[in-house]
């Protein structure tokens, strides 16, 4: 590299840079004869420069003001530096004319990437008879992945507030090339103690080969869940419906809509089909009645009246399951002596209070009475629907809907509106036009400061003709760039354009180059309303026909 200088001034006759990348990059050391460099992070650089005639006080001056002095080594000048970040620099020496800027572009070491290959979803449910859980992860890195990775296993056991966690770690060995590895294993569910109702969460931690501090990345969490109701046995049509249908209840309005639709389709339906659909709507009415009956403390079946000799809220066959718990195989008389070890007597005496209406709801008596009327109408609606008489059930369904609306209104809370407290009106001055003593209240609206204000100011100043404004805000841009370097895709090109304008503010080409670089940095405005497309020939004829008098 030879520069044109005056006679007697030193000039650069040769330049050589020895590049030694870090060992973990697996790149060979080499030499470059250009001063524009692109190297991996933490690369060791050794400049070796020669001048003729010889120079003095040779140094490397960076754009941020830092400088590195070169030392004499025989007939050459040398300097050693570890490349940690991208910078611009130029050569400087006593008597040496101003030299152009050179780029030292540093490529940072990207963190490794890891993704789950098997399973292909975050949540997996246990299948019947499953004893193992296969796991496969894929990891990649620009310079190499560590040969081993840590698999973190968390097992959650219990329900509600009684949940316990157990954590363990496994070391997995990867297979494949240095930059792309796969980590695979099979977890033995039996040895882990995985049981019904448990969750198994795994996460793989991968490192790269960067020295001295490897980068660490964790994979997304994968969950293996064993639902509590998996494999539970059920009998009866209702149990089958609970397994195959989602757990939801029809609303009373929807039941009325279904009844009216069935009555309209009755002439086109066969008697068996009509009866089956009416019975299906009756089942929905029953489920909705049981749902609202819980607010009155009713049992699962919610009988309206108990036969003589039985407790209120219990069916005749007291050996059935009520609300998810068993009351015993035979009814217990109130005056019967408790039998030691009989769990049914203990529950009935001390713990069985959910069938008492006062203990199951906080509704006021009027609202409870209205809800009881709604349940009675639902009962009548269900009775006629199950018998295949939807036309008779429809009035009861409407009455039930009306009662439900009354209950909903009764449980609402109404708050008064709170408005501004205005001063009282002076009737003596009203409609007179007198404005004495009334001072206008100015609204001081200030624009929010823009984070890109230095960029906008410099971009606007560069649009003016050279010489019209010589004090370009370049220092403000330098401060902005140091704080927002991550937002700029190519900061070195922007810095080079700034230095070119700083060296020659009157250079029109340099100003346009910097203005173009700043335009790429500015934040894009929000999307506006799209402009209508131009009128086509057929559209024009249509518009003309509309305006034509008839």
């Amino acid at each position: 590299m030879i520069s044109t200088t005056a006679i007697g001034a030193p000039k650069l006759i040769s330049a050589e840079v020895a590049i030694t990348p870090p060992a973990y990059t697996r790149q060979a050391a080499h030499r470059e004869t250009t001063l524009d460099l692109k190297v991996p992070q933490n690369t060791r650089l050794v400049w070796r420069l020669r001048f003729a005639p010889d120079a003095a006080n040779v140094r490397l001056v960076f754009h941020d003001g830092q400088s590195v002095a070169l030392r004499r080594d025989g007939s050459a000048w040398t300097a050693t530096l570890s490349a940690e970040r991208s910078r611009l620099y130029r050569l400087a020496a006593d008597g040496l004319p101003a030299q152009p800027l050179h780029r030292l572009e540093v490529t940072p070491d990207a963190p490794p990437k890891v993704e789950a290959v098997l399973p292909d979803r975050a949540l997996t449910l246990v299948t019947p008879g499953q004893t193992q859980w296969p796991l496969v992860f894929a990891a990649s890195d620009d310079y190499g992945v560590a040969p081993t990775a840590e698999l973190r296993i968390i097992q959650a056991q219990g329900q509600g507030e009684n949940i316990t966690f157990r954590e363990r770690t496994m070391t997995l060995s990867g297979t494949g090339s240095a930059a792309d590895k796969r980590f695979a294993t099979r977890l033995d569910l039996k040895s882990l103690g995985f049981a019904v109702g448990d969750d198994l969460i795994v996460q793989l931690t991968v490192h790269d080969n960067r020295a001295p501090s490897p980068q660490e990345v964790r994979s997304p969490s994968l969950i293996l869940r064993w639902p509590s109701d998996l494999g539970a046995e059920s009998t009866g049509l209702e149990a089958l419906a609970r397994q195959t249908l989602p757990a939801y209840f029809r609303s009373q309005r929807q039941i009325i809509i279904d009844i009216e639709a069935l009555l309209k389709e009755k002439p086109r339906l066969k008697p068996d089909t009509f009866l089956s659909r009416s019975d299906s709507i009756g089942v929905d009415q029953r489920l909705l009645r049981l749902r609202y009956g819980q607010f009155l403390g009713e049992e699962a079946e919610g009988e309206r009246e108990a036969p003589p000799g039985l407790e209120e809220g219990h069916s005749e066959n007291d050996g059935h399951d009520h609300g998810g718990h068993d009351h015993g195989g035979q009814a217990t008389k109130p005056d019967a002596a408790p039998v030691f070890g009989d769990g049914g007597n203990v529950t009935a005496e001390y713990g069985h209070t959910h069938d008492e209406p006062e203990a199951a709801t906080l509704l006021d008596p009027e609202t409870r009475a209205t809800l009881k009327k709604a349940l009675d109408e639902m009962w009548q609606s269900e009775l006629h629907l199950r018998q295949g008489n939807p036309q008779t059930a429809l009035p009861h369904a409407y009455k039930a809907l009306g009662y439900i609306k009354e209950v909903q209104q009764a449980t609402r809370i109404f708050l008064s509106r709170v408005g501004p407290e205005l001063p009282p009106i002076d009737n003596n001055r009203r409609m007179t036009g007198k404005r004495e003593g009334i001072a206008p209240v100015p609204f001081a609206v200030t624009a929010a400061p823009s984070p890109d204000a230095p960029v906008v100011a410099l971009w606007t100043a560069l649009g003016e003709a050279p010489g019209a404004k010589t004090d370009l805000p370049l220092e403000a841009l330098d401060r902005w760039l140091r704080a927002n370097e991550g937002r700029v895709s190519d900061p070195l090109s922007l810095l080079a354009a700034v230095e070119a304008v700083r060296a020659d503010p009157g250079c029109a080409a340099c100003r346009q180059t910097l203005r173009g670089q700043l335009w790429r940095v500015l934040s894009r405005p929000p999307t506006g309303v799209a402009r209508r497309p131009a009128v086509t020939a057929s559209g024009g004829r249509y518009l003309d026909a509309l305006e034509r008098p008839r």
Side-chain angles (χ1 to χ4, degrees):
M1 180 182 298
I2 301 175
S3 58
T4 304
T5 60
I7 299 177
K11 59 181 179 181
L12 182 66
I13 59 174
S14 67
E16 184 181 76
V17 183
I19 301 174
T20 307
Y24 69 87
T25 62
R26 305 188 311 277
Q27 295 184 6
H30 60 284
R31 297 178 181 273
E32 294 286 347
T33 57
T34 178
L35 296 179
D36 293 321
L37 307 172
K38 184 176 182 179
V39 296
Q41 195 173 21
N42 297 325
T43 297
R44 184 173 180 268
L45 303 175
V46 179
W47 283 268
R48 191 173 182 86
L49 310 176
R50 287 187 173 85
F51 297 89
D54 201 0
N57 193 19
V58 182
R59 58 195 182 277
L60 304 177
V61 181
F62 294 91
H63 73 275
D64 54 2
Q66 182 184 3
S67 63
V68 176
L70 280 74
R71 67 181 184 275
R72 186 183 295 277
D73 184 11
S75 59
W77 294 85
T78 62
T80 304
L81 183 68
S82 178
E84 298 179 355
R85 66 181 188 276
S86 298
R87 306 161 84 178
L88 292 175
Y89 74 99
R90 59 163 48 96
L91 301 180
D94 294 344
L96 185 66
Q99 298 294 304
L101 285 171
H102 301 285
R103 297 168 59 103
L104 174 56
E105 188 172 352
V106 175
T107 305
D109 185 5
K113 298 179 181 179
V114 58
E115 61 180 0
V117 179
L118 187 68
D120 57 353
R121 57 182 60 89
L123 176 61
T124 306
L125 299 181
V126 173
T127 58
Q130 181 177 353
T131 59
Q132 292 183 336
W133 189 24
L135 300 171
V136 179
F137 297 88
S140 61
D141 187 72
D142 46 3
Y143 297 127
V145 182
T148 60
E150 292 76 32
L151 182 65
R152 183 187 180 196
I153 306 172
I154 301 175
Q155 185 174 355
Q157 294 179 318
Q159 295 181 353
E161 297 180 356
N162 299 322
I163 297 180
T164 59
F165 297 92
R166 292 193 302 171
E167 184 175 344
R168 66 197 76 184
T169 304
M170 291 179 56
T171 301
L172 304 182
S173 299
T175 59
S177 62
D180 294 279
K181 290 185 180 296
R182 286 210 168 195
F183 299 89
T185 186
R186 285 180 174 269
L187 297 182
D188 189 352
L189 303 182
K190 185 177 181 181
S191 61
L192 293 174
F194 194 57
V196 177
D198 292 357
D199 281 356
L200 203 62
I201 304 104
V202 297
Q203 193 177 43
L204 187 70
T205 303
V206 178
H207 300 82
D208 62 3
N209 294 327
R210 190 178 72 173
S213 55
Q215 299 183 93
E216 177 182 292
V217 172
R218 293 181 179 180
S219 70
S221 297
L222 302 178
I223 304 175
L224 178 65
R225 178 165 297 169
W226 192 330
S228 300
D229 57 350
L230 183 64
E233 296 182 358
S234 302
T235 58
L237 180 61
E238 296 176 6
L240 179 61
R242 281 196 294 268
Q243 287 187 357
T244 57
L245 295 179
Y248 72 95
F249 296 93
R250 294 286 187 101
S251 65
Q252 187 64 26
R253 190 182 302 276
Q254 183 62 45
I255 290 175
I256 294 174
I257 295 174
D258 293 343
I259 295 175
E260 293 177 344
L262 179 61
L263 292 176
K264 291 182 180 179
E265 299 178 8
K266 181 179 179 180
R268 302 190 301 270
L269 298 177
K270 296 181 180 179
D272 294 343
T273 304
F274 178 79
L275 182 60
S276 176
R277 290 183 56 179
S278 178
D279 182 74
S280 176
I281 301 174
V283 173
D284 293 336
Q285 181 69 87
R286 172 180 175 273
L287 294 176
L288 185 62
R289 177 177 58 82
L290 294 179
R291 179 189 182 189
Y292 282 100
Q294 295 176 2
F295 293 96
L296 295 179
E298 292 188 356
E299 284 282 356
E301 286 297 326
E303 283 75 6
R304 301 168 64 193
E305 294 182 1
L310 292 181
E311 296 179 2
E312 182 182 356
H314 291 261
S315 62
E316 296 182 3
N317 185 5
D318 215 18
H320 289 180
D321 186 17
H322 293 279
H325 57 273
D326 196 5
H327 294 278
Q330 54 183 345
T332 304
K333 298 181 180 180
D335 55 354
V339 180
F340 180 77
D342 189 351
N345 288 328
V346 175
T347 305
E349 183 176 2
Y350 299 101
H352 196 64
T353 61
H354 71 279
D355 58 340
E356 298 179 7
E358 291 77 8
T361 181
L362 297 177
L363 298 177
D364 58 274
E366 292 78 7
T367 305
R368 289 172 49 79
T370 306
L371 183 57
K372 185 64 168 61
K373 294 178 183 179
L375 294 180
D376 291 340
E377 297 297 337
M378 289 183 185
W379 181 279
Q380 294 295 330
S381 174
E382 174 193 346
L383 175 64
H384 295 293
L385 286 170
R386 301 298 288 266
Q387 292 177 352
N389 299 320
Q391 66 276 4
T392 309
L394 187 59
H396 297 284
Y398 268 109
K399 291 181 180 180
L401 178 61
Y403 288 131
I404 290 174
K405 291 301 180 183
E406 293 182 15
V407 173
Q408 292 175 352
Q409 293 293 332
T411 57
R412 292 180 180 177
I413 299 176
F414 295 93
L415 300 176
S416 61
R417 292 186 176 181
V418 179
E421 297 182 1
L422 300 178
I425 299 176
D426 187 1
N427 293 322
N428 297 327
R429 298 175 53 124
R430 188 178 183 187
M431 306 296 294
T432 61
K434 297 179 180 180
R435 301 182 59 84
E436 292 80 3
I438 302 177
V441 180
F443 292 95
V445 180
T446 58
S450 173
D452 299 337
V455 182
V456 176
L458 181 57
W459 184 85
T460 305
L462 291 172
E464 302 177 3
K469 187 176 182 180
T470 57
D471 52 341
L472 297 175
L474 298 177
E475 290 74 12
L477 180 67
D478 293 338
R479 293 191 297 270
W480 180 91
L481 186 57
R482 284 194 294 269
N484 301 272
E485 189 173 352
R487 291 180 49 188
V488 184
S489 59
D490 191 1
L492 295 184
S493 298
L494 178 58
L495 288 171
V498 170
E499 292 297 330
V501 172
R502 182 178 280 118
D504 187 5
C507 177
C510 301
R511 295 167 70 99
Q512 288 300 321
T513 301
L514 178 56
R515 205 162 188 256
Q517 293 285 344
L518 295 176
W519 180 258
R520 298 189 183 97
V521 175
L522 289 173
S523 300
R524 294 185 178 181
T527 304
V529 179
R531 190 180 292 271
R532 285 185 177 182
V535 180
T536 59
S538 59
R541 291 193 299 269
Y542 176 75
L543 295 177
D544 294 340
L546 290 178
E547 297 177 355
R548 190 178 305 157
R550 298 180 180 179

